[in-house]
């Protein structure tokens, strides 16, 4: 298994489809996700790309860890 800090799927393509663990989440296609009751994504044509896990999840997790 490979580990990546990136959100894209470039490593999967380059490595021949090997399993990659994305530490900070990844873009999800055709699934609406909710993190802390909030959802962010974009609809392009008939596809919906969710990035809630990436933006909302990282923001709230790191904000809570960095409290003084």
């Amino acid at each position: 298994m490979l580990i990546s800090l990136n959100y894209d799927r470039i490593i999967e393509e380059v490595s021949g489809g090997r399993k990659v663990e994305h530490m900070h989440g990844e873009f999800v296609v055709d699934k609406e996700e909710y993190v802390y009751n909030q959802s962010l994504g974009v609809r392009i044509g008939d596809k919906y790309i969710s990035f809630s896990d990436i933006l909302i999840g990282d923001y709230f997790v790191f904000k809570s860890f960095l409290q003084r």
Side-chain angles (χ1 to χ4, degrees):
M1 176 173 54
L2 300 172
I3 298 174
S4 173
L5 297 175
N6 292 332
Y7 308 114
D8 53 39
R9 298 181 188 266
I10 294 174
I11 294 179
E12 286 92 340
E13 296 295 323
V14 173
S15 66
R18 288 180 58 188
K19 171 72 175 143
V20 177
E21 183 66 36
H22 295 269
M23 299 292 286
H24 293 289
E26 60 187 297
F27 297 109
V28 177
V29 178
D30 292 331
K31 180 179 177 189
E32 193 168 337
E33 300 177 303
Y34 287 87
V35 177
Y36 296 105
N37 295 319
Q38 299 178 58
S39 180
L40 290 174
V42 63
R43 183 168 303 283
I44 300 174
D46 62 345
K47 294 242 183 235
Y48 180 80
I49 301 170
S50 173
F51 42 85
S52 297
D53 180 43
I54 296 168
L55 292 180
I56 300 171
D58 278 356
Y59 173 77
F60 281 111
V61 167
F62 286 117
K63 185 173 179 165
S64 64
F65 282 142
L66 297 176
Q67 292 294 321
R68 294 180 186 208

